Amino acid sequence: MMNYISKFFNLSFMGLLQYFLLTGLYYGICYFLFKKALYNAKIQQKEMKRQDIIREILHSTGSSCIMVLMIFMVVESPLRNYTKIYENINDYSLYWLAGSIIIGLCIHDTYFYWMHRLLHHKKIFRYVHLIHHKSTNPSPFAAYSFHLLEAAAEGLIVPILLFLIPLHHISIVIFILSSLFINGYGHLGYEIAPKWLRNSFLFKIFNTSVHHNLHHHKFKGNYGLYFRFWDQVMKTEHPDYLKTYDSIQKKRFGEVGE
């Protein structure tokens, strides 16, 4: 029993370390080191309040532990025998190692979109998702700022993937880090995308910091996590997205539209 507790605390510590290192790096770069240089890249021109930062960190700390618990209950229980985790990296090709991460992100984006839509249902929103939406002007620390029930739903994606596709430990770690990296960017509060992105085919595929910031600001639309696909298919992309994105990038670079 003590061995399980020790493993859980070690995994929780690693999860929290990843969260604080990455979100802290985002925050330090944008809100301190290059704050003046990035002034025009700020999406909402209002200062973060200290109590908001504290709230985001406290909720994210609890959520991180819950999400670790969701994985722990699968990999450290008899359920592991029903997963597709593999130990020997040579069991699958290196192409699959990389491909499994990309496939995992695509599955996650679909899962997240529909879960997110559900959380916005009027009978659920104020009891669960409202905690995340208290960050109307989010900072990177809001990446995991969830109600515990939402944290459990968010954390369920890794167990789902473990039952669906073969994943090596390396793939799992890279998937989690990639998700946190993109999530941190989505809650950054600054648009740091390069000028060339706007006229690239990639802009039609990937979300930006403006995309998710607009969701926090307006509360509706832009439900996707990584990609614009489901928002475009379901016609839930916020009508002000392109206008807001172009306005920010115009302040940074001049004319950037199509």
Side-chain angles (χ1 to χ4, degrees):
M1 183 64 179
M2 290 302 296
N3 185 43
Y4 282 105
I5 294 174
S6 177
K7 284 184 177 180
F8 173 70
F9 275 101
N10 287 338
L11 285 173
S12 295
F13 174 77
M14 291 304 299
L16 286 171
L17 184 63
Q18 291 170 3
Y19 164 77
F20 280 109
L21 283 177
L22 189 56
T23 58
L25 182 63
Y26 271 135
Y27 190 81
I29 290 174
C30 293
Y31 289 81
F32 285 98
L33 290 178
F34 298 103
K35 183 177 180 179
K36 289 184 178 180
L38 290 172
Y39 179 80
N40 288 330
K42 189 76 169 66
I43 300 169
Q44 297 184 47
Q45 290 294 344
K46 55 182 179 180
E47 294 293 327
M48 294 294 303
K49 295 180 180 179
R50 186 179 175 211
Q51 57 265 35
D52 290 328
I53 299 287
I54 293 172
R55 172 180 45 77
E56 290 175 350
I57 291 175
L58 288 177
H59 283 301
S60 290
T61 298
S63 295
S64 181
C65 293
I66 292 294
M67 289 188 284
V68 167
L69 180 62
M70 300 302 292
I71 302 172
F72 187 81
M73 288 191 300
V74 172
V75 299
E76 295 294 337
S77 76
L79 289 172
R80 181 188 178 96
N81 297 323
Y82 301 96
T83 68
K84 297 181 181 293
I85 300 174
Y86 63 97
E87 307 284 345
N88 187 349
I89 199 168
N90 294 317
D91 286 349
Y92 292 84
S93 71
L94 292 179
Y95 292 111
W96 173 252
L97 189 73
S100 64
I101 299 167
I102 296 171
I103 292 171
L105 291 173
C106 291
I107 294 173
H108 187 194
D109 189 70
T110 299
Y111 172 82
F112 180 88
Y113 177 87
W114 292 105
M115 177 200 69
H116 197 181
R117 289 286 302 272
L118 179 63
L119 290 174
H120 274 266
H121 190 282
K122 61 183 179 180
K123 292 185 178 180
I124 299 175
F125 181 83
R126 67 191 179 108
Y127 297 109
V128 180
H129 197 45
L130 179 60
I131 284 179
H132 188 61
H133 269 279
K134 286 183 177 179
S135 298
T136 56
N137 181 30
S139 82
F141 295 118
Y144 286 168
S145 183
F146 306 130
H147 184 283
L148 295 185
L149 288 177
E150 182 174 353
E154 296 274 0
L156 192 59
I157 184 58
V158 174
I160 288 173
L161 292 177
L162 294 179
F163 288 111
L164 288 179
I165 60 176
L167 287 170
H168 189 270
H169 296 292
I170 294 174
S171 304
I172 298 170
V173 171
I174 294 176
F175 169 82
I176 293 172
L177 287 175
S178 299
S179 179
L180 178 56
F181 180 83
I182 298 169
N183 204 2
Y185 164 60
H187 293 90
L188 188 59
Y190 287 81
E191 186 50 78
I192 57 174
K195 180 179 180 180
W196 58 261
L197 179 68
R198 181 62 174 88
N199 296 314
S200 164
F201 75 95
L202 295 175
F203 184 76
K204 301 180 185 300
I205 299 174
F206 295 104
N207 286 340
T208 62
S209 190
V210 169
H211 193 276
H212 194 66
N213 189 281
L214 200 57
H215 174 78
H216 274 264
H217 191 203
K218 303 295 186 181
F219 278 51
K220 289 185 179 181
N222 298 2
Y223 298 104
L225 180 59
Y226 307 126
F227 311 116
R228 294 174 63 185
F229 175 79
W230 283 109
D231 278 309
Q232 291 181 328
V233 168
M234 300 307 297
K235 301 187 185 305
T236 54
E237 190 164 82
H238 198 283
D240 290 340
Y241 171 50
L242 296 182
K243 180 177 68 176
T244 305
Y245 181 88
D246 286 344
S247 175
I248 296 292
Q249 296 296 66
K250 184 178 180 180
K251 286 195 296 182
R252 294 178 66 200
F253 304 116
E255 294 296 333
V256 294
E258 293 178 327

